[in-house]
Amino acid sequence: SVPQGWASQLNVAIRTNHIYATMINVELIRALMAEGSVARIWAQSRARVAARIDMARRVLGPFQLAAQRDSWFAWLKLADGWSSESFTTMARMQGIAVGGSANFTIEGLAPDRNGVRLSLTGPGSDVAAHAYFHKLRQLLDRGGQDSERIFA
């Protein structure tokens, strides 16, 4: 039994965090594993993620970024003036995809839900990733003033 109030949050978290494989995807992965390509692709992906984490930290500067080199995502703690909902909306208005922390945490269990999840692999190239992080930095530098006007 799920504690009262958690069912809808768990449903969103599961839908947001899980990918359901189709039969063609299963067969393609099975073939890639058999020929040894998966290990090579995995190593290249890990190297790309490590470089993207370093890039994000350089571009985002003083803003707090939590990232692990074995994850395809990073967490950006939002400064005062922002809520995860307002930041996510403002970012999307500028063509930047981020995920608000409420979609990935259960209320009452996460000590700080005021953040967003960034994709380290979503941008298709390093140039696109740099632009992604730079747009986030510009939004962060502006603070939450615009969001106060829009969400008031």
Side-chain angles (χ1 to χ4, degrees):
S1 168
V2 175
Q4 185 173 2
W6 285 21
S8 65
Q9 290 183 63
L10 287 171
N11 188 26
V12 169
I14 289 169
R15 284 184 297 141
T16 304
N17 291 302
H18 290 83
I19 297 171
Y20 300 98
T22 63
M23 288 305 295
I24 186 68
N25 289 341
V26 170
E27 290 305 317
L28 287 169
I29 293 299
R30 186 175 291 142
L32 289 170
M33 289 174 72
E35 71 179 41
S37 294
V38 170
R40 179 182 48 77
I41 293 168
W42 191 265
Q44 290 171 344
S45 178
R46 290 292 174 215
R48 188 174 307 118
V49 164
R52 296 268 175 99
I53 291 170
D54 293 340
M55 179 190 300
R57 287 199 168 119
R58 281 191 309 275
V59 173
L60 296 172
F63 296 99
Q64 187 177 352
L65 184 75
Q68 297 179 6
R69 298 200 183 271
D70 61 349
S71 175
W72 283 278
F73 300 96
W75 286 95
L76 178 63
K77 182 174 174 22
L78 297 174
D80 291 340
W82 286 112
S83 69
S84 66
E85 293 82 8
S86 64
F87 188 86
T88 299
T89 300
M90 293 295 290
R92 287 188 179 151
M93 289 170 64
Q94 296 185 31
I96 307 167
V98 296
S101 60
N103 292 332
F104 304 98
T105 59
I106 296 174
E107 191 171 351
L109 292 184
D112 185 359
R113 289 171 43 112
N114 196 34
V116 292
R117 187 173 88 158
L118 312 179
S119 174
L120 297 169
T121 59
S125 68
D126 287 343
V127 170
H130 189 271
Y132 172 79
F133 297 131
H134 185 70
K135 286 180 182 179
L136 288 171
R137 173 64 188 260
Q138 288 177 323
L139 190 56
L140 289 164
D141 283 341
R142 286 193 346 228
Q145 302 92 352
D146 291 342
S147 69
E148 291 172 13
R149 186 181 77 248
I150 291 171
F151 297 102

